[in-house]
Amino acid sequence: MFSVLALLSSLLGALGQVFLKFGVKNSLIESIKAPPVWAGAVFYGVAFLLWLEALRLNPLSKLYPYLALNFVFVPLFGLLFLRERITALNAVGYFLCIAGMLLATR
């Protein structure tokens, strides 16, 4: 069963990672004070609430594979927003994550 809530939760969690990366500084104290870190925490908070709602409506065994999408969304957002590299081997791995998620949610 396809869960839009689980998909949105994964997307927002991945965006949270990007904001955390933007906000991280030379020290933990500086990082905690950085606005992007707080934005990342908000994204995580909303992702958490969406995940709770998805859990309320769906079996955990069907939802949990959606978390594998984090392994796809985070590098993709890293490429788009942080100019990080994705190798051909990485791309194959991401494709396999998506294929596994699709198989596991059937």
Side-chain angles (χ1 to χ4, degrees):
M1 175 191 298
F2 179 74
S3 175
V4 174
L5 294 173
L7 180 62
L8 286 174
S9 176
S10 186
L11 275 169
L12 291 178
L15 280 174
Q17 285 291 334
V18 171
F19 276 89
L20 291 176
K21 179 64 175 172
F22 274 131
V24 77
K25 304 294 180 197
N26 291 330
S27 75
L28 182 60
I29 299 300
E30 288 178 43
S31 296
I32 290 172
K33 293 178 183 178
V37 168
W38 286 96
V42 169
F43 277 109
Y44 267 131
V46 174
F48 172 74
L49 294 175
L50 289 172
W51 185 253
L52 286 179
E53 185 64 10
L55 286 172
R56 190 178 70 77
L57 298 171
N58 301 282
L60 176 60
S61 61
K62 295 296 182 183
L63 285 180
Y64 205 72
Y66 281 89
L67 293 181
L69 292 175
N70 290 336
F71 294 106
V72 176
F73 291 143
V74 170
L76 182 62
F77 291 162
L79 173 72
L80 294 173
F81 302 119
L82 303 170
R83 297 184 181 182
E84 295 181 351
R85 277 191 42 192
I86 293 178
T87 67
L89 190 58
N90 295 144
V92 170
Y94 306 145
F95 173 78
L96 291 173
C97 284
I98 293 169
M101 187 273 302
L102 291 172
L103 289 172
T105 56
R106 298 266 175 230

